[in-house]
Amino acid sequence: MKWLPRPKFIYVSPWLLAAATGLLVLIVVTFALSNIQREKRLMTNAMLQKAATLYRVIRSGARASYVSDLRRGIWEPDPWNDHVQRVIDHLSDDPDLYFLAVVDGSGEVFAHSRPVMRGQKIAIRIPEHLSGKNSRGQFIYRVGEEKGQGRFFEVIRPYIPFQSIRPPLPLSLFELHKKFTGPADESLSGPFSLNNTWKDDRDYFVIVALDMKGYDRALRRLRFQVLMLSLAMLLVGIGGWLSLAAVQGYRVSRQALHEIQAFTGLLVSKLPVGIIATDKRGTIATWNKAVAELMGIEENSATGKQPDAILPQVLADFFSGADDCEDVSLGCVPEVRLVVHGEELVLNCHHLVISNRDGVSEGEVLLLSNMTELKNLEKEMRETERLAAVGRMAAGVAHEVRNPLSSIKGLALLLKGKFSQQSNEHETAALLIQEVERMNRTISELLSFARPAPLELTEVDMHALLEQQVRLLLADAASDSIVFDLEVTDDLLPVAADQDRIKQVILNILLNGVQAMDSGGTLTVRAWNNPDNKTVVLTVTDTGVGMGKETLSQVFFPYFTTKSRGTGIGLALSQKVIADHGGTIYLSSVPGQGTVVRVELPWYDVPADHPLWEG
C-alpha cells in the first residue's frame, strides 16, 4: 500500500501556529471592542435625541396650554409650572421614561412626572456653565442608578419659563382704572401686565431621566453577539489551521464541506427575510422558513420545482426576466401586493443574479421582506393627519354656523310663544328648537374633534333609537321611492353610549344611504348581539350606486365627498364618535350593488348569568 506524502505545512512550528492564532484573536478583540464602543455612542446619541425631543415638547406644550387658556377666555391663567405639569402628565406614559422634572438651582421641584415630588427638594449639582441666562442650548448628561430600580440616563438642560403675553381683548374700564390709579403693589399682573418682561432671577432646569433597561439589554446582547462572533472567528481560525494540518484525503474535505453547508442552511433558514434561490437549471434550490410562512408552502413541496409552477405569477416573473432592472447587479426592490389565504400582503422584492468570476450565471436569488405592518402604520399616520385637519377647520365652521343658528332658535322661540301648547305649530316649533340645540351641540363636538371631550355614557336602547331615527326619515324617503326594512332581534341588548352623539351618527349613516339611492331602492337596517366580542352590531345596507376601491379608501377623510352639495365631514365625525365609545365602524361597497356600513358598540351591562356570556 502506497502512502501519500505529507505536505510540508503539516510540520509547521507550533510557535508559528500560536503566533498566527494570537494575531487573529487580537484582530477579533480589537474589532469587537470598536464595535461595542460605536454601538454605545449610537445608543447614547439616540437617548440624547429623545431627551431633546421631550424638552422641546415640554416647552411648546406648556406654551400651547397657556395660549389655549387665553383662547378659552381664562384671563387669569394658572402659573407656568402648572402648564408644564400638564404636559409632563401626558408624557409620563412613555415606557422608556424614568422621570421628568423641572427644578430651580436649589433643587426645588416645580413639576415632576411623579406628582408626590412637587414642592420637594432634590439633591442636584449644576455646573457653572449651565447657570445664567446665556446658557441656552447647553446641557449635561450622566448615568445614574437608583437602588432596586436600575440605571437611568439623566440629561439636565436650562429652561426659561414662558412669559405672559397681552390678552387678545382690551382691558375693561374698571381694570384700566385700577391699573393706573391703584397702589403700585396692587397693579395688574400675569396676562394683563403692561410690562411683559420676565423678572424671575432664578435659574430653572429640565431634568429628563430615561430608563436604561433597554440600553443595558441591547448592550448585553451586543456583547454576547460579539463574544459569540469572536469565539466563532477564533474557532474558524483554529479550525482552519487544524484542517490544513489534518487534510489527508477526500473524506476530511467532504466532512468539512458538509459542516459548512449545514451552517449556511441553518443561517438561511433562520433569517427573518424570505429567500428563494434557483440553481443553474432554474429550479428552486433554497426555500427558507420565512418564505414558507408567507406563502403557506413547506420547503419540501417547493424545492426542485420551477418558480412559475409554485409561485404566484407576479413573483415568478422575477425569475423569467420580465421584471429585471436595467442593472441586475444592483438588484430590484419593487413593491408587490399579494393576497395569500385571504390576507393582503405587501412585499418588497429584491432580485439578484449570482454570477461566477467569468460572468456566467450560477443562479438567481429573490429576497422577500414583509412590509404589511409598516404600511398599516403609515395608514394610521394618515388617519392622524386627517383628524388634525378636521380640528383645524372646526373653528371656521363654528363661526359660520353658530350665528345663524342663534337667529333660527330665537325665531322658533317667538313662534312657539304665539301658538297654543296643543297645536301642531307649537309642537313643530318645539321640534325646531330641539334640533337647533342638537346642531349646536354637534358644532361643539366638531370644535373638540382634536381634543377628546368627556362622554356622558348611559344605557341606550338601540331598538327604540333606531325606530325613532327611521320614523324621522320615512316621509322624505317615501317621496323618493325608498323603502325602509328594519330588522332588530327581540333580545337586543342596550349599549354604553352618549345618546345624543350616537343618534347623530345613526342619522348621518341613514341619510348617506338614502342619498345614495337617487332612483329609489331599499334601505335595510339590522341589529343583533355579537357575543364573540360583547358588542351590539348595526348594519345599514343600501341598494345605491356603490363605491370603487379608491373612493372607499378615502370616505373617512375630512372634506372628501362624492355629493355635489356634501360637506365631507359626516363620516369623519361618525368615525371619531364611534372610536370615542370604544367601538368600530367599517364600510364595504361594490360599484353598482350598494354599500354596507357596519357599526359595533360595546354592551352597557349584561348580568353574569345572561346566556350570551356563555359564548
Side-chain angles (χ1 to χ4, degrees), residues 509 538-542 571 585-588 595-599:
I509 294 174
L538 165 68
T539 62
V540 178
T541 307
D542 64 62
L571 284 177
I585 179 171
Y586 303 99
L587 264 74
S588 58
T595 302
V596 179
V597 182
R598 179 186 175 99
V599 177

Side-chain angles (χ1 to χ4, degrees), residues 43 55 109 156 183 227 231 234 253 380 435 533 552 554 568 598 607:
M43 288 187 286
Y55 173 81
V109 178
I156 302 176
L227 177 62
L231 291 176
L234 180 61
S253 300
E380 292 179 5
E435 291 302 309
N533 53 8
L552 191 63
Q554 303 181 63
R598 179 186 175 99

Side-chain angles (χ1 to χ4, degrees), residues 531-532 534 603 606-615:
D532 293 336
K534 311 299 185 292
W603 293 341
V606 180
D609 57 351
H610 196 282
L612 286 173
W613 283 113
E614 298 176 1

Side-chain angles (χ1 to χ4, degrees), residues 193-208:
S193 177
L194 298 181
N195 183 6
N196 291 326
T197 303
W198 182 259
K199 297 181 179 181
D200 195 338
D201 292 330
R202 287 181 293 183
D203 293 328
Y204 296 91
F205 303 91
V206 173
I207 303 178
V208 180

